[in-house]
Structures are given as structure tokens and as C-alpha cells.
């Protein structure tokens, strides 16, 4: 075979091999990237392949140089491997495949790191507190409105229309004389959850601050849930959203569903919220004894599950 034909065939082989390496790297990236457990093996494999090919390129260059010296000084013909392709073709082949391997591994690592960075570090390891935070108790004055509650807790807040008046015979400073009827208005941030846990804190949606709020962790509908006793109340209103200061929420959407004690869905479809896009929620609780809220987070573009926190601002029960 003439040298020109051999060089042409070698060039075709190099091009075909590089094309196969490019396509194979792209396929491996889309198949394995994003899955942490499998992506680690892909990254290690790509690094190993690139290392072996770089070593092979160095050995071929040294062997080619030694073969040329032997051919010139001692008239020893080069080996068949060295005659198969020219040195530059060998280097393009080995270093090109090594480059594609490194690129595949680097892009895979970047995608995994980006996905991990989108997970809230604190929320992933901290179990939401089960005890609600209540305001500091204050001693009521004779002219101060006092909310009647089931537990006669003077820290519960109430609508002024249901508070004791100075003309009442009961002494407002004596908690034992406070009526035990169900108050007309109740904030859920002072009520212990029957299932699940939350933090009773102020929340902010689109720069609007809600001093009475709850924040809880969202994973999936099956794992993320809150349930309260709402017997005696007819309506529930709140503003649902993701707090403005929640970390790693770019492109994240949270879907929230509400149920009664029998599992009847109280909203026709999930209430979807994101940072900067809270939504008002108003539920009819007629006949409901328990109110259950579930939530799940996802990345809007890929629909991949994503853990985050969501919040309710001014969660109020009314009769």
C-alpha cells in the first residue's frame, strides 16, 4: 500500500474514532449525569481513561523518536504499529479521545455539584420543631381585650369582637373567669400540629412581611404533611408561598394540597407557589374536623424533585 493511501486511511480512522468518542461521551453524560451515585463512577472512569491515553501518547512519541533514530543510525525498520499512522495522527487520536473523556467527566461533575448546591443545607438535616413558638405572656389590664380559648391561655390572640368588655362581671385579670367557648378567630401558629412539625416565625413574601406565620419542610406529598384540629371553624385563609430569604430556590416550585379528615381534597388542584409568586388560599371547612396540608417541591424546568421550605402567612381559622 502506498504511503499516501495509508495516510488517508489513517486519517479516516482517526476522524471516525474521535466522532465515536464525542457521541459516546454525550450519551454517557445525559444517561448518568444528575444521578450522584452513578455519576461518581462515570467521573472516575473518564479520569482513568484520560490518564491512560495521555501516558499512551507520551510512550508513542518516545517510541516513534527512538524508532526514527534506530532507522537512521542502524537501518532498523520501525515496528508495524509505528508504520500504521504518522506521529501527529497518533497524538491527535490519543489526546483527542482523552480530551473528550475529560470533558465528559468535568461536565458530569459540574452538573452533580450544581444539583447538590440547589438543596437547602440546613433544611436537609434539621427536623422541624414540633413545639410552636408563642408570644411572651403579658398581664392583661381591665381595658385590654382578652380572647376566650379552650385552654384559657392568655397568650392566644383574638378578634376584638369576641373579647371581654369592662362591663362584664368577670374580672379580666383572673384567667379562671375567662369563658372556655371556641374563639371566633384562631391563628394556627399558636396551635400544636396533630401530625408533622413547623416553625412559628414571621415570613416575608415579595417584601410583604407577615408577623404571624409558619414555615415547614417540603419534600414529597407522602413525607411532608401538617395536620390541625379545626373542629368548630368554617373557614381557613392564609397566604402560601416561599419566604424571600429561603436559599437555593431558583426555578423551584412548591405544590400544596389540602384535605379534610376523610381525605377529601379541599382544592381542585395543587396550589403552586414560588419565590416572588405567593398565592392567597381560602378554604371552606364546613363539616371538617381536621385540616391536613401536604406539599412537594420540584424544579420547574426538569420536574425533578427538590427539597425546600414553604410558608403560610397569617394562617387564620374563622367560624
Amino acid at each position: 500500500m502506498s504511503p499516501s493511501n495509508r495516510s488517508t486511511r489513517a486519517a479516516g480512522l482517526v476522524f471516525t474514532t474521535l466522532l465515536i468518542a464525542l457521541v459516546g461521551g454525550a450519551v454517557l453524560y445525559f444517561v448518568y449525569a444528575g444521578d450522584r451515585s452513578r455519576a461518581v463512577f462515570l467521573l472516575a472512569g473518564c479520569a482513568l481513561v484520560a490518564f491512560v491515553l495521555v501516558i499512551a501518547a507520551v510512550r508513542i512519541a518516545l517510541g516513534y523518536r527512538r524508532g526514527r533514530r534506530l532507522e537512521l543510525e542502524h537501518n532498523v525498520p520501525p515496528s508495524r504499529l509505528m508504520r500504521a499512522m504518522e506521529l501527529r495522527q497518533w497524538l491527535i487520536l490519543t489526546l483527542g479521545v482523552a480530551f473528550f473523556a475529560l470533558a465528559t467527566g468535568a461536565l458530569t461533575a459540574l452538573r452533580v455539584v450544581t444539583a447538590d448546591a440547589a438543596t437547602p443545607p440546613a433544611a436537609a438535616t434539621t427536623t422541624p420543631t414540633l413545639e410552636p413558638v408563642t408570644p411572651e405572656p403579658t398581664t392583661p389590664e381591665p381595658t385590654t381585650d382578652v380572647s376566650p380559648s379552650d385552654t384559657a391561655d392568655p397568650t392566644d390572640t383574638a378578634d376584638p369582637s369576641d373579647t371581654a368588655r369592662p362591663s362584664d362581671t368577670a374580672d379580666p385579670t383572673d384567667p379562671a373567669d375567662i369563658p372556655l367557648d371556641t374563639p371566633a378567630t384562631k391563628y394556627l401558629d399558636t396551635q400544636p400540629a396533630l401530625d408533622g412539625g413547623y416553625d412559628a416565625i414571621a415570613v416575608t413574601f415579595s417584601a410583604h412581611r407577615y408577623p404571624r406565620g409558619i414555615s415547614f419542610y417540603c419534600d414529597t406529598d407522602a413525607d411532608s404533611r401538617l395536620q390541625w384540629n379545626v373542629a368548630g371553624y368554617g373557614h381557613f385563609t392564609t397566604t402560601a408561598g416561599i419566604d424571600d430569604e429561603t436559599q437555593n430556590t431558583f426555578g423551584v416550585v412548591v405544590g400544596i394540597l389540602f384535605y379534610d379528615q376523610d381525605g377529601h381534597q379541599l382544592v381542585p388542584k395543587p396550589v403552586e407557589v414560588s419565590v416572588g409568586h405567593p398565592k392567597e388560599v381560602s378554604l371552606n371547612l364546613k363539616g371538617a374536623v381536621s385540616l391536613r396540608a401536604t406539599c412537594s417541591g420540584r424544579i420547574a424546568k426538569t420536574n425533578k424533585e427538590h427539597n425546600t421550605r414553604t410558608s403560610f402567612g397569617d394562617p387564620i381559622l374563622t367560624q
Side-chain angles (χ1 to χ4, degrees), residues 34-157:
D35 188 329
R36 184 182 181 87
S37 59
R38 295 187 297 175
V40 171
F41 291 104
L42 176 60
L43 177 59
C46 290
L48 179 61
V49 170
F51 176 77
V52 171
L53 288 174
V54 170
I55 296 300
V58 173
R59 291 179 61 86
I60 290 174
L62 294 177
Y64 201 92
R65 182 178 180 183
R66 184 171 56 253
R68 291 289 295 174
R69 187 173 64 250
L70 291 175
E71 183 179 9
L72 293 175
E73 295 178 359
H74 304 286
N75 199 25
V76 177
S79 64
R80 178 177 298 179
L81 182 64
M82 296 301 173
R83 293 198 306 268
M85 291 191 294
E86 298 178 2
L87 176 60
R88 61 183 177 84
Q89 293 173 330
W90 277 114
L91 294 179
I92 293 174
L93 176 63
T94 53
L95 296 180
V97 176
F99 170 78
F100 289 135
L102 284 176
T104 302
L107 292 175
T108 301
L110 179 62
R111 186 169 178 181
V112 172
V113 169
T114 302
D116 288 347
T119 302
T125 58
T126 302
T127 302
T129 179
L130 298 178
E131 295 296 330
V133 178
T134 59
E136 293 185 4
T138 58
T139 303
E141 297 297 332
T143 58
T144 301
D145 293 338
V146 179
S147 170
S149 65
D150 293 335
T151 59
D153 187 354
T155 61
D156 288 342
T157 60

